[in-house]
Amino acid sequence: MERPGPSDVTGSDASGPDPQLAVTMGFTGFGKKARTFDLEAMFEQTRRTAVERSRKTLEAREREEEMNREKELRRQNEDLEPTSSGSNVARACSKSSSRDTSSSESDESSDSSDDELIGPPLPLKMVEEPVNPVEEGVLGPLPPPLAEGVEEEDDDDGDSEEEENPVRKIPDSHEITLKHGTKTVSALGLDPSGARLVTGGYDYDVKFWDFAGMDASFKAFRSLQPCECHQIKSLQYSNTGDMILVVSGSSQAKVIDRDGFEVMECIKGDQYIVDMANTKGHTAMLHTGSWHPKIKGEFMTCSNDATVRTWEVENPKKQKSVFKPRTMQGKKVIPTTCTYSRDGSLIAAACQNGSIQIWDRNLTVHPKFHYKQAHDPGTDTSCVTFSYDGTVLASRGGDDTLKLWDIRQFNKPLFSASGLPTMFPMTDCCFSPDDKLIVTGTSVQRGCGSGKLVFFERRTFQRVYEIDITDASVVRCLWHPKLNQIMVGTGNGLAKVYYDPNKSQRGAKLCVVKTQRKAKQAETLTQDYIITPHALPMFREPRQRSTRKQLEKDRLDPLKSHKPEPPVAGPGRGGRVGTHGGTLSSYIVKNIALDKTDDSNPREAILRHAKAAEDNPYWVSPAYSKTQPKTMFAQVESDDEETKNEPEWKKRKI
């Protein structure tokens, strides 16, 4: 069946379309023959395809029903009627849907290509499951719904058990010890990725530990003293991990990079100004510091000048804002610790009078929350920290207590635990990564027991677990959420890392498996470098990354890599003395250092040349010939002759 072409309608001949008609109508293509479709052949092909697919579907359903019967015979005690009825309903629905959509599919198949299948679509069960489950090793319909339910119930039971007992999540099965020095480790810092640990102590040293590059010897790869002769009180990595905030006993905080080079140093304020808000920096010893959790380059410090100041790395010449804690009577009070909330909107500080004050970060005048008797007055609160959900605040007091506060109802503590002795002004407390435990350390006198790491459950504040660390005080503790490892700083100069091979990630697990390497010659320093920190940049020596390249250059230098010549045997050559043993010292001993004493009279040896000098004066006499006085008196040998030859004027005096 053919349709009349455009040429028949317009009346143009077969030789070609009329150009005037194309111009008038606005489009070309007149006279082309239209496509022809054999509808009867297409319907016949569609019918055959549908019959073939229906036959395959019926065979598959019959095969599946037979396997269901066999399955039912095998499992006589199990009742599978609900599942079978549900599958029958699904088959019926799929069958009806396939019948309804067969006509529409056949109409659309005329425009598709020849390789596409034409006819009703496969049922949903045939598409998802294989035609013959016996080939897959499964007999009958799978019973995963029941099995999955059982497994899910088991998993829920396990989760509930873990929720009931969070002690199982503590990674304390293994430990490694990093030796910082001999004095107290008073600061710990771990970067956000968990790759590097930095420790600081009372010995003024800051040491860097790289878990990925460290072997079983557990040695720090860099040690420096960024604050000269001031004890390190706090170390913290920024939220990006590229900078470290160093707070020491001085009045100026420093920021160093990951390699230990200084980035900035805060300015020191004027100590003769009464209002501390009008100075540009701190004027007294610092206590601690903290980075802003969201804003890059912003950090906070608190000091003995009774202020809490926020800073920016780009502007070290002046602080950004000043918070001044006050008592209820409006007097100054010194903050001993400070921290940001998890979202960075609040600033919390604990003071020497036992109060805890919380400000809005953008409002520096009055605190948003103020609890005046959080801890005993006169005892320095060593730490305040927020939970990960941001609703709970934990404070570690110098009165040997640990308290938990709800900032939404900041009128009384939620819980309080006593009997936790502390002797350091920077004793830590921290939350577990799942916010279900609170950890703090205890202090002991020397030789009076061991320091402990104590775990409290947040919900009930029960003392659920303890770890004996060492025979010294536990000063710092840090539980990294990404590594799930606990870092502890002690009073005898050790930094310990606790981990679990199954519950922890990377960190200490990387360096434990590495064997201790032997020291190589190329890693030793070839020469001592004089460090002049105050020299001009043009005279500053470049950073020495490694000595291996320097040794390779020295090997190429013909002078530095020249092999020493062997000793000369036989007669000398090339200007080298080879006689009498072949060494210069033996030649000197043999020829020069012999005993050649002269027994002659030295006066006679000198006067031997007197007559020649008098007859032919050449050296001394010509130089003084014009100024030399003439000899008037001869030399006498006795006193009588001297008086006899004296002039007349001397005799007259006598």
Side-chain angles (χ1 to χ4, degrees):
M1 178 177 171
E2 298 182 358
R3 296 181 181 179
S7 60
D8 298 336
V9 177
T10 57
S12 60
D13 52 359
S15 61
D18 189 2
Q20 296 296 331
L21 181 61
V23 174
T24 304
M25 298 298 293
F27 59 89
T28 59
F30 296 99
K32 293 183 179 179
K33 188 175 181 180
R35 293 179 61 186
T36 60
F37 300 96
D38 191 356
L39 297 180
E40 294 180 358
M42 292 171 60
F43 284 130
E44 182 65 21
Q45 183 180 1
T46 303
R47 188 184 64 81
R48 292 177 181 175
T49 305
V51 170
E52 184 68 21
R53 287 200 175 186
S54 300
R55 185 178 60 79
K56 291 181 179 180
T57 303
L58 291 175
E59 291 178 356
R61 287 176 183 173
E62 291 176 357
R63 198 178 300 114
E64 186 178 358
E65 289 177 358
E66 291 177 1
M67 288 187 291
N68 287 338
R69 293 192 193 99
E70 293 178 359
K71 197 70 175 179
E72 289 176 359
L73 292 175
R74 293 178 182 176
R75 299 183 179 182
Q76 295 179 358
N77 298 329
E78 296 180 1
D79 187 8
L80 297 177
E81 291 181 0
T83 57
S84 61
S85 61
S87 61
N88 293 332
V89 172
R91 294 192 193 99
C93 294
S94 62
K95 184 175 181 181
S96 61
S97 62
S98 62
R99 289 176 181 174
D100 295 337
T101 56
S102 60
S103 59
S104 60
E105 291 291 334
S106 61
D107 294 336
E108 293 176 356
S109 62
S110 59
D111 297 332
S112 61
S113 59
D114 295 334
D115 56 342
E116 294 180 351
L117 297 177
I118 301 174
L122 289 174
L124 184 62
K125 197 163 188 70
M126 294 297 297
V127 175
E128 294 180 353
E129 296 181 0
V131 177
N132 191 3
V134 180
E135 298 175 358
E136 300 293 330
V138 180
L139 298 176
L142 297 175
L146 185 60
E148 288 178 356
V150 175
E151 291 177 359
E152 289 177 358
E153 290 178 358
D154 295 338
D155 294 341
D156 294 340
D157 294 340
D159 294 339
S160 61
E161 289 179 0
E162 287 187 357
E163 289 177 359
E164 293 176 358
N165 190 9
V167 179
R168 296 182 179 180
K169 296 183 180 181
I170 299 176
D172 64 332
S173 61
H174 296 69
E175 67 171 291
I176 64 172
T177 302
L178 309 176
K179 186 167 181 57
H180 174 85
T182 57
K183 295 187 178 181
T184 302
V185 177
S186 56
L188 284 177
L190 197 60
D191 69 341
S193 63
R196 284 189 178 182
L197 174 69
V198 58
T199 59
Y202 279 4
D203 54 358
Y204 323 131
D205 288 339
V206 173
K207 293 190 176 182
F208 294 80
W209 315 80
D210 190 356
F211 289 119
M214 189 166 51
D215 56 11
S217 61
F218 305 134
K219 293 183 180 179
F221 72 91
R222 183 167 288 116
S223 177
L224 53 97
Q225 293 184 355
C227 301
E228 297 171 351
C229 296
H230 293 285
Q231 295 176 348
I232 307 299
K233 294 193 171 183
S234 176
L235 293 170
Q236 186 180 5
Y237 274 90
S238 62
N239 51 2
T240 55
D242 57 345
M243 291 181 291
I244 304 172
L245 174 62
V246 182
V247 177
S248 64
S250 67
S251 60
Q252 297 172 271
K254 286 188 178 183
V255 177
I256 59 178
D257 60 5
R258 287 177 61 88
D259 296 325
F261 298 100
E262 183 176 325
V263 176
M264 61 89 71
E265 183 180 15
C266 298
I267 193 172
K268 185 177 181 180
D270 190 351
Q271 58 185 349
Y272 298 104
I273 296 179
V274 177
D275 189 2
M276 287 291 103
N278 295 329
T279 62
K280 297 181 180 180
H282 288 293
T283 60
M285 178 185 69
L286 298 176
H287 284 290
T288 187
S290 176
W291 286 99
H292 194 284
K294 302 294 183 182
I295 302 176
K296 182 180 180 181
E298 180 180 332
F299 62 93
M300 168 179 57
T301 55
C302 65
S303 169
N304 265 357
D305 59 2
T307 60
V308 177
R309 301 174 189 262
T310 59
W311 303 80
E312 288 181 341
V313 176
E314 292 80 9
N315 186 18
K317 298 300 181 183
K318 187 178 181 180
Q319 74 273 346
K320 187 177 180 182
S321 58
V322 181
F323 300 86
K324 296 185 290 184
R326 292 287 186 265
T327 62
M328 299 302 291
Q329 293 78 22
K331 297 181 180 180
K332 290 182 180 180
V333 62
I334 295 176
T336 57
T337 182
C338 60
T339 186
Y340 281 101
S341 61
R342 294 293 176 177
D343 57 356
S345 60
L346 299 177
I347 290 177
C351 305
Q352 281 186 346
N353 64 345
S355 65
I356 295 179
Q357 304 182 26
I358 302 177
W359 293 268
D360 190 333
R361 176 178 163 272
N362 299 319
L363 302 175
T364 62
V365 182
H366 298 291
K368 189 174 182 180
F369 305 103
H370 187 180
Y371 193 81
K372 59 182 179 180
Q373 292 181 351
H375 294 276
D376 293 344
T379 60
D380 294 349
T381 303
S382 58
C383 179
V384 288
T385 182
F386 283 88
S387 62
Y388 285 95
D389 56 13
T391 60
V392 175
L393 178 73
S395 62
R396 181 71 164 94
D399 53 357
D400 301 342
T401 61
L402 176 66
K403 295 186 179 182
L404 204 62
W405 310 83
D406 190 346
I407 62 174
R408 296 167 294 186
Q409 297 178 354
F410 202 70
N411 51 8
K412 63 178 181 179
L414 294 175
F415 301 100
S416 178
S418 59
L420 303 170
T422 174
M423 297 184 295
F424 293 89
M426 66 280 298
T427 303
D428 254 342
C429 64
C430 64
F431 286 86
S432 62
D434 57 358
D435 257 356
K436 295 180 180 179
L437 296 174
I438 303 173
V439 191
T440 188
T442 61
S443 301
V444 293
Q445 296 286 347
R446 182 175 297 178
C448 298
S450 61
K452 297 180 180 180
L453 199 63
V454 186
F455 295 80
F456 292 88
E457 190 176 1
R458 172 183 166 180
R459 185 169 53 87
T460 60
F461 223 63
Q462 296 286 333
R463 194 165 179 167
V464 294
Y465 197 67
E466 291 182 357
I467 301 176
D468 290 338
I469 304 299
T470 183
D471 56 350
S473 302
V474 177
V475 182
R476 288 285 188 178
C477 60
L478 190 151
W479 196 335
H480 196 270
K482 191 173 182 180
L483 301 182
N484 193 23
Q485 298 179 11
I486 302 175
M487 284 71 180
V488 179
T490 64
N492 56 356
L494 302 179
K496 293 199 172 186
V497 182
Y498 290 87
Y499 67 97
D500 190 289
N502 300 323
K503 302 172 186 176
S504 302
Q505 304 292 331
R506 301 176 65 83
K509 294 170 60 178
L510 299 178
C511 56
V512 172
V513 298
K514 295 182 180 179
T515 58
Q516 186 173 352
R517 295 176 297 179
K518 296 182 179 179
K520 296 182 180 179
Q521 184 69 22
E523 294 180 358
T524 59
L525 291 175
T526 56
Q527 57 181 339
D528 294 334
Y529 282 82
I530 300 175
I531 301 174
T532 55
H534 303 290
L536 295 176
M538 60 184 299
F539 300 110
R540 193 171 299 161
E541 297 179 356
R543 299 178 185 175
Q544 186 181 8
R545 299 292 184 183
S546 175
T547 58
R548 183 173 299 173
K549 294 183 179 179
Q550 184 65 30
L551 290 179
E552 291 177 355
K553 291 182 180 180
D554 293 344
R555 292 193 192 100
L556 300 177
D557 191 350
L559 296 178
K560 293 182 179 181
S561 62
H562 180 67
K563 181 181 178 182
E565 296 182 359
V568 178
R573 63 177 183 274
R576 302 178 63 191
V577 179
T579 58
H580 303 288
T583 60
L584 180 61
S585 59
S586 62
Y587 176 79
I588 292 174
V589 170
K590 187 70 177 177
N591 297 281
I592 298 176
L594 299 177
D595 188 11
K596 296 182 179 180
T597 58
D598 190 4
D599 296 334
S600 61
N601 191 356
R603 186 173 183 276
E604 294 179 356
I606 294 174
L607 293 178
R608 181 174 59 187
H609 308 283
K611 184 172 179 58
E614 186 178 358
D615 296 341
N616 186 18
Y618 181 75
W619 298 106
V620 180
S621 298
Y624 298 99
S625 60
K626 295 182 180 180
T627 59
Q628 185 72 20
K630 295 181 180 179
T631 304
M632 297 176 60
F633 304 103
Q635 186 177 1
V636 293
E637 296 181 357
S638 63
D639 295 340
D640 296 338
E641 291 180 357
E642 289 180 1
T643 55
K644 185 178 180 179
N645 295 329
E646 282 183 354
E648 292 295 331
W649 59 274
K650 281 188 177 183
K651 292 180 180 180
R652 291 172 186 171
K653 282 184 179 181
I654 295 173

